[in-house]
Amino acid sequence: MDLPMPRLAGHDTPGPFQLTHPAVQRAPLVFASPHSGRQYPEAFLAASRLDAHAVRRSEDSFVDELFAAAPALGAPLLAANFPRAFCDANREPWELDPAMFEEPLPAWVNSASPRVGAGLGTIARVVASGEPIYRRRLPFREAEERVQRCWQPYHAALAGLIAETKQRFGCCLLLDCHSMPAHPAQPQNAPDMVLGDAHGTACAPRAVRRVEEQLWAMGYRVRRNDPYAGGYVTRHYGRPREAVHVLQIETARALYMDEGRIERLPGMAKLQRDFAALIAGLMEMDWDFLRG
């Protein structure tokens, strides 16, 4: 069973990701959405103790659609097709919880990370709402297959985009696009967007300011690194000294979707227009300072 997934133009055959190139890349910008995938294998849903709707709570739903204007404006867009609950592309390849598997894990597996402890490793134990996913333990070969079929191809494509962009422009700025849930305990002035640069280590401050100022000018409340400073993608690929910069963008789901129903709200159209304007503005800027 595959849950509905809109396809980007020119990509009719499902695979682990969708990569849409612009006719001409006009700036050293790359956009990626690692958590908006929603193609759920039948075997995965059969093994889950949750229904398909409950499993979808882990998605950054529709984020690929929010940034869909990027290719037409001159920047490539990479979006995972596989869901985060199945394999998380924003983790190390082998962050695994030993309690999830039938046999002991190899010694090289990272089973001690905080993300594994929270149940949100490369192969998640729980959905974002904290409910356990599986009825039974998994064989380790299942994790191997998911990493090989999903994680590795996605990161090969991402690394390739970064390398091609750096070769052409002398630098690269990756915008890693996510969404954040609402929390009842949050105050009324909770941010609309959180920009994560791993506390200043993954992206040039000047680049962060450029994105921040554009969002401020549109009227959005923007915060840095709190509570999302960036995950594996931000910290692994963000190497400003090598002219590769990564900025994670978290967008409040309340701006564009009904979280309970996992449905688009009327506000999505405005947010899509604003993100298109953001991308267009970024495309016109001089990014030579990213070369260091």
Side-chain angles (χ1 to χ4, degrees), residues 76-145:
L77 173 63
L78 174 68
N81 284 341
F82 56 90
R84 179 186 188 183
F86 183 72
C87 183
D88 194 335
N90 200 26
R91 297 289 182 265
E92 297 173 23
W94 303 107
E95 288 187 75
L96 302 176
D97 184 347
M100 291 179 60
F101 295 92
E102 295 173 346
E103 65 265 53
L105 299 181
W108 42 263
V109 165
N110 180 0
S111 60
S113 80
R115 294 159 296 279
V116 169
L120 296 170
T122 316
I123 308 300
R125 174 170 47 83
V126 300
V127 290
S129 57
E131 299 167 277
I133 296 174
Y134 297 98
R135 303 176 188 274
R136 57 172 179 78
R137 294 190 178 193
L138 304 175
F140 176 62
R141 68 175 181 277
E142 177 70 23
E144 291 182 299
E145 289 173 1

